[in-house]
Amino acid sequence: MRPTAPVLLSATLLIAATGLTACSSGSGDDPDTVRISFKQSTDNQIRVMDKYLASMKTQFEKDHPGKKVKLVPIKAPDSEYYTKLQQMLRSPKTAPDLVYEDTFLINSDITSGYLKPLDSYLAKWPDWNQFIDTAKNAAKAQDGKTYGVPDGTDTRGLWYDKGIFAKAGIKTPWQPKSWDEVLDTARTIKKKVPSVTPLNVYTGKPGGEQSAMQGFEMLLYGTGTGPGTTDPLYDRSSNKWITAGKPFKDALNFVKTVYGEKLGPDVSDALDPNIGTRVRGELLPKSKLAINLDGSWLPQDWLKGSGHEWPEWSQKLGLAHMPTQNGQAPGKVSMSGGWTWSIPSKASNPDLAFEFIKTMQTKANAQKWYIANSGIAVRKDVAADPAYVKAQPGIKFFTDLVASTHYRPAYPAYPKVSTAIQEAMESVTTGDSSVEKAASTYDEQLKTATDGKVITK
Amino acid sequence: MPPSRGDHQVKPGRGGVRRPLTRALPLAPSLVLLLLFLAGPIAYCAYIAFTDLQLTGQAHSSFVGFDNFTAAFRDDAFLNAVWLTLVFTVLSSLIGQNTLGLALAALMQRASKTVRTVTGAVVVCAWVLPEVVAGFLLYAFFRREGTLNAILDWLHLPTQNWLFTLPILAVSFANVWRGTAFSMLVYSAALGEIPKEITEAAEMDGAGGWRRMWHITLPMIRRSIGTNLMLNTLQTLSVFGLIWVMTRGGPGNRSQTLPLFMYEQAFQKSMIGYGTAVALLLLVVGSLFSLVYMRLLRSEA
């Protein structure tokens, strides 16, 4: 024991010393540096945002002499990005000055007190009037204050491979009128072109919000009749969440059919957390996937200089809107979300952070960003600019969908509801449980997630 | 280290209380640090387990008593995780690492020096690898285009995606692969301690290999078995990285052991309070196992 005691003592002193120095060097103290956290793609070849922010940094540092921008990328799949961000937001030591927030989670983070209301800044910023109203509401909390500046929105639809359709003898342009038509087309492709995956619908927990929004909700919101009438997830009159009724089960049944009949990717691939990256980087460009239910932003991966350059995509792929269940009015369905730039409540340089938002959101810079990330404009001046509309094939198709799109009930409980949806999807995808069982498990989880604020309709 | 046996017998009465105190003085800083960095967080965790603290979606947390614990026992996913944790522990630790480690150690006693060195090096290699690296290696082994299927294909046997069809078996195998070295080292040391005369005498009396193992070797290394089981079990109960890399607890919840369940509740569903309660329950499971093994050790001593 004896000879070890001095060693132990010096070791403890060493640990104590390093611990103390680590404490004293908080990284957010520099009043001239604005620290920005954003989600970096898990695909090393996709650096659209990195490049855009790097150019914004140069511009900002030139316009604000003496000020510095420090980019703090978080490289993680969606669900892990949020977790890491929330942990950073909890403490003033780690909170960045500016964060990139998904609108599906923003209300939850607002409720936690992680974000700062921006109203006083927005009131003095003339450009805010250029934002369309739905976008202004994207980050407006139940307290009526606004907590984020949106940098675009998105819509969703069906991407299909014209080459595979030709081989299967299906006429293009293709526009299915109902779910059955989508499934029938997939069945035909499975029979005629057996070497490809007929239809991809994101599913399960590994895909996170991608499964819930591009997958399940694109189905669920197509069971009703048009936007703004009834929300199949949340009842706005009673402020309660809706349990799994027939629409919910129908949507689950669609997922079950896709994977049960092997119309989708192999289940083990579908449940791989990197399925999204594979679809965009490999399956679509290499003509291994016939129909893909996905978002408007896909071309950002295929633009010049983005790693998987594929300029011919607009000749090879066709676009169709997702039909409602039985073709009921308005005939098509889309979901919209988007991301916003927000300032953490524990940020040390909020004023400088808002200056950076202003730099990113000049008309020219915003337009540059929409085009770089295949985003849908939320600024009226950009949307009206012919240069934007013509910048990319597909922009018109997806911008037109804004008229018939739906927004998620992005209340604080939503992220948990979304997880419950993903679990229900996953259990029918793997065949672990029937649609009925999955729906009743969802009901139970919904009760826990929303503190019993549920209603049966 | 030189033996210091004499120390204990020197003048037991003199300075009775004082001397141990001065002797313990150098330990004080580490004691303080232990209290601060080990006991502190544990106490804080124990406190959080009784609150409804969330990572997001909540302005203030409040004390909820035993709600998290009762919720756990009513949660099918929790019970599923408990069951899978037991399967994982029994398969990979009790049966796999322990038995295989003993078998390897016993075989190596008789093997030539070269064989012993090579086997030892290979097995220890697996143990030295970081958990995540081991996870990736075994993921590559079991995945659909992986090594195992390549071999099966070559033998004209049917292939399948093992991580999908038999996830809990695949991760158990991975843990055996990784952890057997430790048992092997423990048992090699223990077997080396058995006096040659006893084994030889038994051999003279006509006892075969199995009988010698059962009646002489095993009783003599009983203490090592107890220690080894305890360390193995505790290590296996807390395995996270290996399973996370290989299956993330999926497909569905079919390889979701308690540490993964806890991670999902605390960090993916933001329910820190509930996740911490589950962590405490895991601690209880661990101490139950330890108690059983301690019993085993004590009855022999």
Side-chain angles (χ1 to χ4, degrees):
Chain A
M1 184 64 81
R2 262 191 204 149
T4 49
V7 180
L8 208 76
L9 189 65
S10 39
T12 44
L13 285 177
L14 191 75
I15 294 168
T18 46
L20 289 174
T21 39
C23 286
S24 61
S25 63
S27 40
D29 298 341
D30 183 357
D32 293 323
T33 303
V34 50
R35 294 165 69 243
I36 299 169
S37 281
F38 64 98
K39 181 174 134 38
Q40 192 168 51
S41 172
T42 47
D43 184 335
N44 282 321
Q45 291 179 309
I46 308 298
R47 288 290 170 259
V48 178
M49 189 159 208
D50 303 61
K51 280 185 196 154
Y52 172 75
L53 285 177
S55 78
M56 289 302 109
K57 171 182 152 88
T58 318
Q59 198 173 332
F60 182 83
E61 287 174 353
K62 207 172 116 203
D63 295 348
H64 300 79
K67 308 292 179 198
K68 285 256 167 291
V69 174
K70 189 167 181 246
L71 299 175
V72 189
I74 299 176
K75 185 175 177 174
D78 275 2
S79 58
E80 285 160 46
Y81 170 76
Y82 311 131
T83 309
K84 286 187 186 176
L85 194 61
Q86 283 152 358
Q87 282 166 324
M88 287 166 79
L89 294 177
R90 289 179 84 86
S91 155
K93 286 267 176 262
T94 50
D97 297 308
L98 194 60
V99 292
Y100 201 42
E101 284 267 344
D102 191 328
T103 47
F104 106 91
L105 207 76
I106 197 164
N107 269 296
S108 184
D109 282 354
I110 294 167
T111 313
S112 309
Y114 292 158
L115 303 177
K116 195 180 171 66
L118 303 179
D119 300 71
S120 58
Y121 295 112
L122 296 173
K124 284 178 278 178
W125 184 42
D127 284 41
W128 188 233
N129 293 326
Q130 287 293 343
F131 285 75
I132 56 173
D133 286 338
T134 43
K136 281 182 175 172
N137 288 331
K140 198 180 241 181
Q142 279 158 316
D143 63 6
K145 293 178 188 153
T146 302
Y147 289 79
V149 175
D151 72 340
T153 186
D154 46 35
T155 50
R156 285 149 178 79
L158 293 163
W159 302 74
Y160 62 90
D161 187 303
K162 293 181 193 166
I164 299 177
F165 271 55
K167 272 190 219 159
I170 302 161
K171 257 196 276 164
T172 50
W174 174 67
Q175 179 53 66
K177 305 254 173 353
S178 66
W179 288 2
D180 284 342
E181 239 177 89
V182 176
L183 290 172
D184 283 341
T185 310
R187 288 182 190 117
T188 311
I189 291 163
K190 186 178 156 73
K191 211 187 302 164
K192 301 254 178 77
V193 196
S195 59
V196 304
T197 304
L199 169 65
N200 174 53
V201 177
Y202 293 116
T203 183
K205 274 193 291 183
E209 183 58 10
Q210 161 184 276
S211 308
M213 198 170 179
Q214 278 89 275
F216 192 77
E217 287 161 15
M218 281 296 283
L219 297 163
L220 182 65
Y221 281 79
T223 56
T225 50
T229 47
T230 49
D231 189 315
L233 278 179
Y234 188 80
D235 180 55
R236 280 166 216 265
S237 57
S238 63
N239 289 331
K240 284 181 176 162
W241 294 85
I242 302 168
T243 54
K246 186 172 183 301
F248 195 97
K249 289 175 195 163
D250 286 352
L252 276 183
N253 236 325
F254 186 94
V255 176
K256 193 183 171 68
T257 309
V258 169
Y259 290 95
E261 289 185 23
K262 298 196 188 308
L263 300 173
D266 187 88
V267 177
S268 59
D269 291 332
L271 295 177
D272 186 315
N274 294 315
I275 177 75
T277 312
R278 278 194 65 202
V279 165
R280 296 189 297 273
E282 184 193 333
L283 299 183
L284 280 177
K286 293 191 179 153
S287 278
K288 289 182 186 167
L289 173 61
I291 310 166
N292 180 34
L293 179 54
D294 214 322
S296 52
W297 56 84
L298 295 202
Q300 69 165 293
D301 287 22
W302 308 323
L303 295 177
K304 228 170 155 298
S306 45
H308 297 294
E309 271 180 43
W310 188 33
E312 318 88 85
W313 76 264
S314 57
Q315 285 109 58
K316 299 267 171 80
L317 297 184
L319 290 163
H321 48 70
M322 180 68 191
T324 48
Q325 185 175 13
N326 304 308
Q328 64 265 52
K332 54 186 163 184
V333 57
S334 170
M335 299 293 301
S336 284
W339 290 65
T340 73
W341 286 104
S342 299
I343 302 179
S345 52
K346 296 196 163 95
S348 27
N349 301 316
D351 296 350
L352 211 53
F354 196 79
E355 285 304 309
F356 193 80
I357 295 183
K358 280 176 164 172
T359 301
M360 286 192 288
Q361 286 296 332
T362 60
K363 185 196 170 230
N365 285 341
Q367 184 160 340
K368 194 175 148 196
W369 171 240
Y370 298 145
I371 293 170
N373 86 329
S374 311
I376 304 299
V378 288
R379 283 182 67 117
K380 293 173 221 162
D381 48 2
V382 178
D385 191 330
Y388 158 77
V389 183
K390 274 191 243 139
Q392 221 180 82
I395 283 192
K396 191 175 162 15
F397 173 87
F398 284 111
T399 308
D400 288 349
L401 276 176
V402 171
S404 49
T405 203
H406 299 263
Y407 292 86
R408 291 160 294 183
Y411 300 111
Y414 177 77
K416 281 185 216 156
V417 175
S418 164
T419 314
I421 291 176
Q422 294 157 32
E423 282 178 16
M425 290 180 94
E426 185 161 338
S427 62
V428 299
T429 302
T430 56
D432 278 359
S433 61
S434 64
V435 166
E436 285 298 325
K437 175 85 175 48
S440 70
T441 311
Y442 171 79
D443 285 351
E444 273 168 41
Q445 295 198 353
L446 189 70
K447 248 185 248 164
T448 326
T450 62
D451 275 336
K453 288 189 195 106
V454 295
I455 186 171
T456 304
K457 278 185 115 177
Chain B
M1 202 190 292
S4 55
R5 241 172 244 164
D7 278 13
H8 298 291
Q9 276 129 33
V10 178
K11 296 157 203 154
R14 211 171 61 109
V17 184
R18 230 195 193 147
R19 197 160 160 200
L21 258 184
T22 44
R23 276 182 136 198
L25 202 62
L27 290 176
S30 50
L31 189 71
V32 170
L33 284 176
L34 270 181
L35 283 178
L36 207 67
F37 292 115
L38 194 70
I42 291 179
Y44 184 58
C45 276
Y47 166 72
I48 289 181
F50 292 93
T51 68
D52 61 353
L53 184 70
Q54 293 187 10
L55 191 57
T56 183
Q58 169 204 57
H60 304 285
S61 62
S62 52
F63 190 77
V64 294
F66 282 94
D67 282 10
N68 286 329
F69 296 93
T70 47
F73 285 101
R74 265 187 270 124
D75 187 345
D76 286 345
F78 171 78
L79 299 175
N80 170 60
V82 170
W83 167 243
L84 286 177
T85 308
L86 290 178
V87 171
F88 181 64
T89 309
V90 169
L91 276 183
S92 68
S93 168
L94 289 184
I95 299 177
Q97 293 183 0
N98 192 52
T99 319
L100 195 61
L102 180 58
L104 277 174
L107 287 176
M108 275 166 70
Q109 292 276 310
R110 313 203 138 220
S112 71
K113 193 150 188 273
T114 346
V115 174
R116 226 184 309 177
T117 323
V118 172
T119 320
V122 169
V123 178
V124 171
C125 254
W127 190 50
V128 170
L129 281 180
E131 202 180 3
V132 174
V133 179
F136 275 115
L137 282 177
L138 285 148
Y139 171 75
F141 179 74
F142 280 116
R143 66 196 282 260
R144 208 179 36 224
E145 295 88 16
T147 325
L148 178 59
N149 279 342
I151 297 170
L152 289 176
D153 201 40
W154 184 70
L155 293 172
H156 298 288
L157 290 169
T159 63
Q160 56 191 307
N161 187 340
W162 298 94
L163 293 170
F164 186 76
T165 47
L166 295 166
I168 192 73
L169 275 182
V171 294
S172 299
F173 177 87
N175 193 40
V176 173
W177 181 83
R178 195 176 116 80
T180 301
F182 181 76
S183 301
M184 189 193 80
L185 294 177
V186 170
Y187 287 132
S188 289
L191 290 178
E193 297 269 297
I194 298 177
K196 275 234 160 57
E197 303 87 63
I198 299 184
T199 357
E200 275 163 15
E203 223 164 325
M204 296 288 273
D205 290 343
W210 282 115
R211 286 190 66 175
R212 280 206 309 277
M213 185 74 166
W214 193 249
H215 289 289
I216 297 176
T217 316
L218 284 183
M220 292 197 75
I221 60 166
R222 210 167 134 195
R223 285 176 70 94
S224 302
I225 298 179
T227 316
N228 184 51
L229 276 176
M230 178 150 87
L231 293 173
N232 266 345
T233 310
L234 293 183
Q235 192 267 337
T236 300
L237 279 178
S238 62
V239 166
F240 176 82
L242 201 63
I243 306 181
W244 181 255
V245 169
M246 289 177 69
T247 65
R248 293 204 181 205
N253 292 331
R254 280 187 265 154
S255 58
Q256 195 180 49
T257 56
L258 275 173
L260 279 103
F261 176 75
M262 189 182 88
Y263 178 83
E264 185 184 280
Q265 299 306 316
F267 296 112
Q268 293 185 309
K269 296 190 179 170
S270 305
M271 296 190 279
I272 302 270
Y274 185 50
T276 318
V278 174
L280 281 188
L281 289 173
L282 182 63
L283 210 68
V284 172
V285 176
S287 21
L288 281 180
F289 270 107
S290 306
L291 268 180
V292 172
Y293 298 142
M294 297 276 261
R295 265 263 130 92
L296 205 79
L297 282 177
R298 205 189 299 149
S299 65
E300 212 268 341

